[in-house]
Amino acid sequence: MRTSVVRRPLVIVGLVVVAVVAVVGLYWFQPWKLWVDETVREELPTAAPASPDGPGASADTAPPAASAPEVLATGSFISHEHATSGSVKIVRLADGSRLLRIEDLDTSSGPDLRVWLTDAPVKEGRDGWHVFDDGEYLSLGRLKGNKGDQNYALPAGADLNRLTSVTVWCDRFDVSFGAAELRKAAA
């Protein structure tokens, strides 16, 4: 009778410890995200150039037509930790603002995914998984969805001569899901 009284608290403590470890593990790894897709379909914005405010400007003058965005750099994703495909481009809108555009993205979902503009070289295979946080990087925010087309505003001071690659970065596990080298567009 004495052994059953001693065992019962140990079993209860053991079950509580297992439950806590399971909950923490589920929160940390979020395995269900491997089967849940979020598709984003953002259009490439167009911006009308600023209207002239100088002398001779008239209320009768028709507003200028919106001009097509200028492509500054392009690239294609390669896979790292997870299969990743799609393309990226940096565009300048008519108002002078710049944005990173991801098109036809297809990758796994995961915990705490970010879009980073970095100075790291894009390397194939496992050699490229962990290099993007070694140097300079600029976080453009959370990945909006693991599939589709999406836009990320670039700060005015982002130096595209130094920041030459893009990664879908898992901040929780410090690993790249996929990355793209940016090549300047032909002038």
Side-chain angles (χ1 to χ4, degrees), residues 10-140:
L10 288 176
V11 168
I12 291 172
V13 168
L15 289 173
V16 168
V17 168
V18 167
V20 167
V21 168
V23 167
V24 168
L26 286 171
Y27 169 77
W28 188 253
F29 289 98
Q30 299 177 0
W32 59 88
K33 288 194 171 186
L34 292 173
W35 296 281
V36 176
D37 291 328
E38 187 166 346
T39 302
V40 175
R41 295 279 180 226
E42 290 183 331
E43 295 294 323
L44 180 61
T46 56
S51 61
D53 291 336
S58 139
D60 297 334
T61 307
S67 61
E70 175 189 3
V71 177
L72 303 175
T74 61
S76 295
F77 279 108
I78 64 165
S79 298
H80 281 147
E81 172 70 18
H82 292 268
T84 302
S85 62
S87 62
V88 296
K89 60 184 172 183
I90 294 182
V91 297
R92 182 184 349 259
L93 301 177
D95 66 0
S97 64
R98 299 176 299 174
L99 61 85
L100 172 74
R101 171 118 174 120
I102 299 175
E103 294 180 331
D104 300 320
L105 178 66
D106 189 0
T107 191
S108 297
S109 190
D112 206 12
L113 294 182
R114 308 290 174 145
V115 177
W116 283 6
L117 195 57
T118 79
D119 67 349
V122 175
K123 299 178 182 178
E124 295 277 348
R126 293 181 70 92
D127 291 340
W129 286 18
H130 303 282
V131 300
F132 297 99
D133 61 348
D134 294 343
E136 182 181 354
Y137 63 89
L138 175 63
S139 178
L140 302 178

Side-chain angles (χ1 to χ4, degrees), residues 118-120 136 159-165 184:
T118 79
D119 67 349
E136 182 181 354
D159 184 354
L160 299 180
N161 290 319
R162 287 197 342 245
L163 301 172
T164 58
S165 61
K184 291 193 187 283

